[in-house]
Amino acid sequence: MSNILEKPKSFYTDFTRKGSADVITTHYCPGCGHGILHKMIAEAISELGIQDRTVFISPVGCSVFAYYYFDTGNVQVAHGRAPAAGTGVKRALPNSIVISYQGDGDLAAIGTAEIIHSANRGEAMTMFFVNNAIYGMTGGQMAPTSIIGQKTTTSPYGRKAENEGYPIKVSELISQLDAPVYVERVSLADVASRNKARTVVRKAIQNQIDGKGFSFVEVLAACPSGLKKTPLETNEWVKNTLHTIFPLGCYKDETATRTPRFAPAINPTSDQVLTALNLKDDHSDYKASVDKKNFIDQNVKIAGFGGQGVLSAGTTLSVLAMYENLEVSWIPSYGPEMRGGTSNCNVRLSNKRIGSPLVENPNILIAMNGPSLEKFESAVRPGGTIIVNSSIIDAKVSRKDVKTYYVPVTGIATEMGVPAAQGVAALAAYLAATNVIPVEKLEHVVHKSLKRKELADKNIAIIRKVAEYITKGMEDNKKCLTGF
Amino acid sequence: MKVPRVEIRIEECKGCHLCIAACPKKVLESSGCLNNQGYIYAKYKGDGCIGCGICFYSCPEPGAIKVFKKEN
């Protein structure tokens, strides 16, 4: 043990993420409970040696900016969803230590479903619930945990049970469930409570390290600004009032008897993925042709209106890339309409694991209609490629730092009698123009996205026609480097 | 430097005075002076600290208080 008590190493040295001139103090008000709890958590992270595998889940509320302070992984999530996002992190990275941190408005109002169900599933996370009986950040509105008679900006005559219900006792609720391992309520209002809180914080985190499962700590804390009292008065109020309504203590502790359970890393093999997608059989006689080692990441955005086969072009490309043993992600974005409306999908192909499936700056844009080109042209990375469906889009690409190919994909597909294949035609144009994956390989997978298998031959004919169009265009037009 | 002792970084103190109330030896006090941020910061009287760390865990600011305990 060090002989010096100072800022724990799990905090950043300077809080430069604040973006203000002051990088040494937090944004919290004087006397705020968050700062005290942050310090206890940071100290535990440092002393337990888990800083490099901790992922902090910051909520909405005053502690939204936890990522200013904790030098750990961080996901800042939507209001109330910390336990849901934390579940995702923990399941994807079972070796991580997930610390979910929420206030009373976040956890006990908008996020009630998430906390109850994550507790009920017994997710192996550590949950901190800061209960200060008020909405602090938004200016002192009534919280689910505000006490009967408490005057707030939204209960100016005092909270009434008949109108607003009773303060929710979350620790009591959670402790009734079978799955949670450890549930305790502590307070930061006086010296003895804070000493106890430090031990409990550490235990709740240690439980996760030991694979024990869901550990929940409710922390009664002071919000002097929200309660419109001085810091010392607020702590007195917490002690004299909140402690009586939310009794401190351990509500459940099965730490000693639970068998540690460590989820295996979710890392399916390519074979398992192909089997799950029912693609295994077709794959067996497919010969991969991509030089995986030198593969350049493809961040593809395919955009158009619903019914143009935009989404299925994306899945076809994904299947092809899987056959080529590449890492793949596909994520759609579309409106509620089955046809019409705007529709686009993001496809990422890489020789490395893909972190996020989103494509904000594509190096390939396939624009199937005018609005899509208008919307995404400026987002394309310099040096990227744009495939323009010239059957529909009259406009020309104004950028000079991208390669553009004008291909009448709707026209070619329609001419061949399968207008629905325009997405596949656009895909063929992309592959023929870039040779990222040889375009003829598309012929092996095109039937995968077809409901009517008898159209496979026509689709193959369309692919060949588009490929020919591109090759001929390149020969005819020596400006091929800037597209045609 | 003498140990045990407590150091309060004036510019990190927000003047909540929780440390003053928590100190069992009552060796912290209000300085009566404003720091650059405009808070009346706390200060160590200069003598009597036992290095218990209670003030450290009362303080919401990560780095405002540093406690030097007695060598083991």
Side-chain angles (χ1 to χ4, degrees):
Chain A
M1 282 289 281
S2 162
N3 286 322
I4 301 173
L5 275 178
E6 59 184 335
K7 184 171 163 180
K9 298 276 181 273
S10 297
F11 281 132
Y12 287 108
T13 314
D14 293 319
F15 305 139
T16 49
R17 287 181 169 184
K18 280 177 77 183
S20 66
D22 166 28
V23 295
I24 54 171
T25 67
T26 65
H27 71 292
Y28 296 118
C29 307
C32 174
H34 282 303
I36 299 173
L37 182 58
H38 278 21
K39 194 184 271 181
M40 290 174 180
I41 294 172
E43 186 185 66
I45 291 172
S46 293
E47 292 184 9
L48 294 170
I50 51 168
Q51 185 181 1
D52 60 351
R53 60 185 177 118
T54 296
V55 181
F56 204 93
I57 314 289
S58 348
V60 168
C62 290
S63 46
V64 63
F65 296 129
Y67 55 84
Y68 287 172
Y69 312 118
F70 288 95
D71 185 5
T72 62
N74 191 291
V75 185
Q76 199 285 307
V77 300
H79 207 184
R81 272 55 177 176
T87 298
V89 173
K90 187 68 187 180
R91 289 190 178 199
L93 303 168
N95 193 40
S96 61
I97 300 296
V98 176
I99 297 182
S100 174
Y101 187 109
Q102 297 177 274
D104 44 50
D106 190 84
L107 181 141
I110 191 168
T112 323
E114 281 74 12
I115 191 65
I116 293 290
H117 288 287
S118 65
N120 195 42
R121 295 189 304 268
E123 299 294 343
M125 301 186 285
T126 307
M127 324 297 285
F128 292 106
F129 168 42
V130 177
N131 176 0
N132 52 23
I134 196 92
Y135 278 81
M137 182 192 232
T138 46
Q141 291 81 2
M142 194 197 81
T145 50
S146 294
I147 63 169
I148 298 297
Q150 187 176 334
K151 288 184 179 174
T152 69
T153 55
T154 48
S155 57
Y157 303 109
R159 180 177 189 164
K160 290 189 183 68
E162 56 271 29
N163 204 39
E164 291 101 15
Y166 294 89
I168 292 185
K169 298 178 177 179
V170 180
S171 290
E172 285 85 337
L173 274 173
I174 300 277
S175 64
Q176 293 307 307
L177 298 168
D178 291 331
V181 169
Y182 177 49
V183 181
E184 179 142 4
R185 182 184 287 128
V186 296
S187 165
L188 303 175
D190 58 23
V191 173
S193 302
R194 287 194 286 268
N195 282 342
K196 175 71 180 168
R198 271 175 65 210
T199 319
V200 170
V201 164
R202 187 160 312 208
K203 176 171 173 164
I205 297 175
Q206 183 67 50
N207 273 358
Q208 187 175 170
I209 297 170
D210 296 341
K212 293 286 189 176
F214 192 90
S215 296
F216 182 88
V217 182
E218 177 171 346
V219 183
L220 301 183
C223 177
S225 304
L227 293 161
K228 308 199 175 12
K229 300 179 196 304
T230 69
L232 289 170
E233 285 165 4
T234 314
N235 275 343
E236 283 303 303
W237 182 81
V238 170
K239 203 161 65 178
N240 297 332
T241 311
L242 283 194
H243 284 199
T244 62
I245 293 157
F246 301 105
L248 306 186
C250 182
Y251 286 83
K252 182 173 188 181
D253 188 1
E254 295 182 359
T255 306
T257 54
R258 287 289 178 101
T259 314
R261 198 183 57 179
F262 295 98
I266 303 164
N267 198 6
T269 62
S270 303
D271 262 8
Q272 286 171 323
V273 174
L274 289 167
T275 307
L277 294 171
N278 201 21
L279 296 169
K280 186 79 172 68
D281 294 345
D282 304 273
H283 183 236
S284 45
D285 58 347
Y286 183 93
K287 282 195 177 52
S289 54
V290 163
D291 174 9
K292 194 173 171 185
K293 200 166 150 239
N294 296 315
F295 187 80
I296 297 164
D297 280 11
Q298 298 291 299
N299 299 313
V300 184
K301 192 178 277 291
I302 310 175
F305 58 81
Q308 279 188 306
V310 163
L311 303 187
S312 63
T315 53
T316 305
L317 176 61
S318 302
V319 171
L320 178 61
M322 276 192 275
Y323 280 9
E324 292 287 346
N325 301 316
L326 293 165
E327 303 285 332
V328 181
S329 72
W330 170 90
I331 193 166
S333 165
Y334 52 85
E337 311 88 343
M338 283 302 283
R339 287 189 183 160
T342 58
S343 163
N344 72 71
C345 67
N346 303 306
V347 181
R348 295 192 60 186
L349 315 180
S350 180
N351 54 6
K352 299 174 287 292
R353 264 187 96 178
I354 294 167
S356 161
L358 295 178
V359 176
E360 279 174 27
N361 295 103
N363 53 9
I364 307 292
L365 170 63
I366 300 177
M368 297 295 286
N369 68 351
S372 300
L373 180 62
E374 204 174 302
K375 187 168 175 191
F376 297 117
E377 180 185 333
S378 60
V380 177
R381 292 181 203 192
T385 300
I386 303 181
I387 307 289
V388 177
N389 177 10
S390 58
S391 306
I392 291 179
I393 306 171
D394 292 331
K396 297 290 172 201
V397 171
S398 56
R399 287 178 56 177
K400 300 286 177 238
D401 58 347
V402 295
K403 289 180 201 170
T404 307
Y405 296 87
Y406 297 96
V407 190
V409 290
T410 305
I412 292 174
T414 310
E415 198 178 292
M416 304 290 282
V418 194
Q422 51 189 299
V424 168
L427 207 52
Y430 153 52
L431 295 179
T434 60
N435 205 30
V436 166
I437 298 170
V439 63
E440 58 272 16
K441 291 289 190 185
L442 194 52
E443 297 175 14
H444 293 264
V445 298
V446 68
H447 63 280
K448 278 286 151 198
S449 59
L450 293 179
K451 287 201 181 87
R452 292 167 61 194
K453 303 293 177 201
E454 69 273 19
L455 291 176
D457 287 347
K458 283 202 168 168
N459 272 265
I460 288 171
I462 288 168
I463 292 167
R464 288 180 185 169
K465 184 136 193 195
V466 171
E468 192 189 309
Y469 182 91
I470 297 271
T471 319
K472 191 163 180 303
M474 282 182 173
E475 281 165 7
D476 289 353
N477 189 340
K478 295 300 176 199
K479 284 193 297 179
C480 62
L481 285 179
T482 53
F484 56 85
Chain B
M1 290 284 277
K2 193 177 160 188
V3 286
R5 69 172 192 281
V6 55
E7 269 180 26
I8 294 177
R9 296 175 187 221
I10 293 171
E11 291 310 324
E12 296 185 43
C13 177
K14 286 183 174 168
C16 69
H17 295 182
L18 293 181
C19 57
I20 299 172
C23 176
K25 293 292 171 186
K26 301 295 166 208
V27 296
L28 301 175
E29 63 183 355
S30 170
S31 66
C33 304
L34 294 171
N35 65 14
N36 279 326
Q37 295 211 51
Y39 294 121
I40 299 173
Y41 57 90
K43 74 173 183 55
Y44 177 39
K45 289 178 182 171
D47 200 28
C49 173
I50 55 167
C52 66
I54 283 173
C55 56
F56 178 78
Y57 295 108
S58 306
C59 175
E61 282 303 314
I65 291 182
K66 198 168 176 178
V67 179
F68 296 79
K69 297 183 181 184
K70 206 168 172 174
E71 303 287 333
N72 289 328

